[in-house]
């Protein structure tokens, strides 16, 4: 006896279509990746930060002290979308460098302080110098990501966000 097997494809059962929310924040930026300048005299910190922002889909450049940061920004003030700046560095510290960077970019490039110091006085110094954010080291991925999203993608208001 011959067995007849129907090999016509069965009607696909209507798959439950998952409604994925549209990408937001960094995931939504397909056409242009934020370009971030990372400034720190500690090579290990720079490496960790570079890995973090790279994994978040940003392009980045690094500087090892404030003067190098100023030189890079003056060479192309429109190159950077955000600067993460250590405060205590040789040659030119972060606060002085931030003031110069703000002049060069007409305050269009947000600058986030990165520091191991956590006193209220340091935060006040940063506010007076015009920093747009303040992150305590060691900075985790979530904090870095939220600052990039707040200051680059959402073009959030300037003003210190306390992380």
């Amino acid at each position: 006896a011959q067995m007849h097997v129907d090999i016509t494809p069965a009607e696909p059962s209507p798959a439950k279509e998952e409604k994925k929310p549209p990408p937001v924040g960094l995931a939504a930026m397909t056409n242009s990746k934020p370009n971030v300048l990372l400034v720190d005299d500690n090579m290990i910190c720079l490496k960790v930060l570079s890995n973090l922002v790279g994994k978040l889909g940003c392009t980045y450049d690094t500087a090892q002290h404030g003067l190098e940061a100023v030189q890079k920004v003056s060479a192309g003030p429109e190159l950077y979308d955000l600067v993460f700046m250590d405060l205590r560095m040789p040659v030119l510290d972060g606060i002085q460098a931030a003031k110069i960077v703000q002049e060069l970019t007409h305050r269009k490039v947000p600058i986030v302080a990165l520091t191991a110091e956590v006193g209220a006085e340091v935060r006040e110094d940063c506010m007076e110098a015009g920093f747009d954010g303040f992150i305590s080291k060691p900075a985790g991925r979530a904090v870095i990501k939220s600052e990039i999203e707040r200051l680059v993608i959402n073009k959030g208001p300037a003003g210190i966000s306390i992380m």
Side-chain angles (χ1 to χ4, degrees):
Q2 271 188 324
M3 207 167 100
H4 179 74
V5 179
D6 186 9
I7 54 170
T8 53
E11 280 297 306
S13 58
K16 285 192 175 69
E17 224 177 275
E18 282 184 49
K19 287 271 186 262
K20 282 193 177 153
V24 292
L26 283 170
M29 294 191 76
T30 47
N31 51 351
S32 64
K33 295 178 173 203
N35 191 29
V36 182
L37 178 59
L38 309 170
V39 190
D40 201 318
D41 60 320
N42 180 316
M43 292 309 293
I44 294 167
C45 289
L46 265 187
K47 188 128 188 80
V48 169
L49 264 176
S50 300
N51 285 337
L52 263 178
V53 298
K55 284 181 180 150
L56 289 171
C58 300
T59 55
Y60 61 87
D61 196 359
T62 60
Q64 291 177 34
H65 52 72
L67 182 60
E68 189 181 353
V70 166
Q71 289 164 339
K72 289 190 176 198
V73 171
S74 68
E78 66 295 324
L79 284 178
Y80 303 105
D81 299 303
L82 177 63
V83 178
F84 284 108
M85 180 91 68
D86 183 27
L87 296 185
R88 303 286 173 246
M89 296 179 289
V91 191
L92 186 65
D93 73 32
I95 293 201
Q96 294 306 315
K99 289 177 179 171
I100 299 168
V101 165
Q102 287 165 346
E103 284 173 30
L104 292 169
T105 63
H106 307 289
R107 288 204 51 81
K108 287 187 175 73
V109 178
I111 305 173
V112 176
L114 269 176
T115 184
E117 298 172 54
V118 288
E121 199 177 299
V122 178
R123 287 179 196 269
E124 282 168 30
D125 289 347
C126 289
M127 286 180 84
E128 281 170 27
F131 278 89
D132 300 282
F134 184 100
I135 296 176
S136 301
K137 288 181 185 177
R141 176 190 168 102
V143 175
I144 297 289
K145 182 175 191 256
S146 74
E147 284 298 82
I148 294 170
E149 290 184 341
R150 178 176 75 91
L151 294 165
V152 178
I153 292 141
N154 305 329
K155 298 270 190 260
I160 298 270
S161 82
I162 306 299
M163 289 294 178

